[in-house]
Amino acid sequence: MLSEKIRVLIVDDHQLMIEGLRSLLEDEESISFVAGATSMQETMAFLETNSIDVILMDVNMPDSSGIEITKKVKELYPRIKVVALTMHDDISIISKMIKAGASGYVLKRTNMHEVVDALKIVYKDGKYLSPSAQHIIMDNLMSPDELMDHKEDTKPLLSARELEVLKLIAKEYSNEQIGEKLFISERTVEAHRRNIFIKTKTKSIVGLMKYAINEGLVSFGSD
């Protein structure tokens, strides 16, 4: 039994997700939901005047990625633990979050018991990788320890599907048109778009196209 409650801040760009997690965490005697934040600005402003133990951190944020927020938090408040709670199941994102200072990585499709376990483990200075994340790491032929030394250029930055989406973005296809072309939902297209922007570290279509052309991923006049 923990002698005191774990003070938790939830950082997610969707208020409904924060409220949903809050309602679930409030049933846990060992955990205290302190607040939610929907941007890097809100997160850092809150930490200036409040004390917390663990942050549940999403990767997709409106003003900065969860990776960058994690780096900033660990620089200014090294004692605060970070657990990534995200939809991203890509080895590159997992690696970046852990290198940024996250002590745990949990996929949003998991159950609440796993989230609670992760909070308790990292609070006690442990590390937590969900079974789903561990499987992804194993699929990439590396051990959890090797993840910290993962070289991002050992495999293509973008997956085959993400490259397909990127090429259609270059042709000015809408999300709906891309979905119809690839037989996937618009929601899935949007997820791929977010992944592409995060992986390529670009913030606009213009920046993304410059990156794609420089890397030889797309070219003008190609079909």
Side-chain angles (χ1 to χ4, degrees):
M1 293 290 292
L2 293 170
S3 59
E4 58 185 26
K5 289 192 174 185
I6 305 169
R7 296 163 296 181
V8 176
L9 170 68
I10 299 175
V11 178
D12 195 289
D13 62 337
H14 291 99
Q15 188 62 41
L16 285 177
M17 175 62 72
I18 292 175
E19 292 303 322
L21 289 169
R22 173 183 184 174
S23 65
L24 292 170
L25 291 178
E26 285 179 341
D27 293 333
E28 294 293 326
E29 294 183 357
S30 61
I31 294 173
S32 173
F33 169 87
V34 179
T38 58
S39 68
M40 181 173 189
Q41 183 178 1
E42 284 185 18
T43 301
M44 303 317 296
F46 180 84
L47 294 179
E48 286 181 3
T49 56
N50 295 272
S51 178
I52 64 161
D53 300 308
V54 185
I55 298 177
L56 272 177
M57 180 77 71
D58 191 13
V59 171
N60 293 327
M61 299 300 294
D63 56 349
S64 184
S65 74
I67 297 167
E68 293 304 318
I69 300 175
T70 298
K71 287 181 182 177
K72 191 69 173 179
V73 169
K74 297 304 291 185
E75 286 174 4
L76 298 177
Y77 309 99
R79 71 162 195 83
I80 295 177
K81 307 299 191 304
V82 177
V83 174
L85 180 61
T86 175
M87 61 179 284
H88 291 286
D89 57 0
D90 184 274
I91 185 64
S92 176
I93 303 299
I94 298 173
S95 175
K96 288 177 181 178
M97 276 300 291
I98 291 177
K99 287 182 178 180
S103 298
Y105 199 99
V106 180
L107 297 177
K108 283 186 175 179
R109 60 174 177 259
T110 191
N111 59 65
M112 199 60 198
H113 294 298
E114 185 177 343
V115 175
V116 171
D117 287 344
L119 290 172
K120 291 179 178 179
I121 289 171
V122 303
Y123 175 69
K124 294 182 176 180
D125 296 324
K127 305 289 184 182
Y128 187 90
L129 283 174
S130 69
S132 298
Q134 290 184 41
H135 289 155
I136 294 164
I137 294 168
M138 293 300 293
D139 287 343
N140 284 268
L141 302 178
M142 61 176 67
S143 70
D145 289 337
E146 291 172 324
L147 181 63
M148 296 302 294
D149 298 319
H150 174 54
K151 301 295 188 297
E152 293 175 16
D153 58 355
T154 58
K155 60 176 293 187
L157 182 65
L158 302 180
S159 68
R161 177 63 86 187
E162 288 165 349
L163 187 56
E164 288 179 314
V165 171
L166 174 58
K167 290 180 178 179
L168 292 175
I169 291 174
K171 295 178 181 179
E172 299 185 357
Y173 278 45
S174 67
N175 284 358
E176 181 180 2
Q177 291 171 322
I178 294 173
E180 292 175 354
K181 183 80 172 178
L182 301 180
F183 303 102
I184 57 179
S185 69
E186 286 187 56
R187 184 174 181 180
T188 299
V189 173
E190 183 59 37
H192 284 311
R193 287 176 70 110
R194 288 196 297 268
N195 284 346
I196 291 168
F197 277 109
I198 290 172
K199 289 181 179 181
T200 60
K201 298 181 181 179
T202 55
K203 298 181 179 180
S204 68
I205 293 295
V206 173
L208 179 61
M209 289 305 98
K210 286 181 178 178
Y211 172 88
I213 293 168
N214 288 337
E215 294 295 318
L217 301 178
V218 299
S219 60
F220 290 115
S222 63
D223 188 15

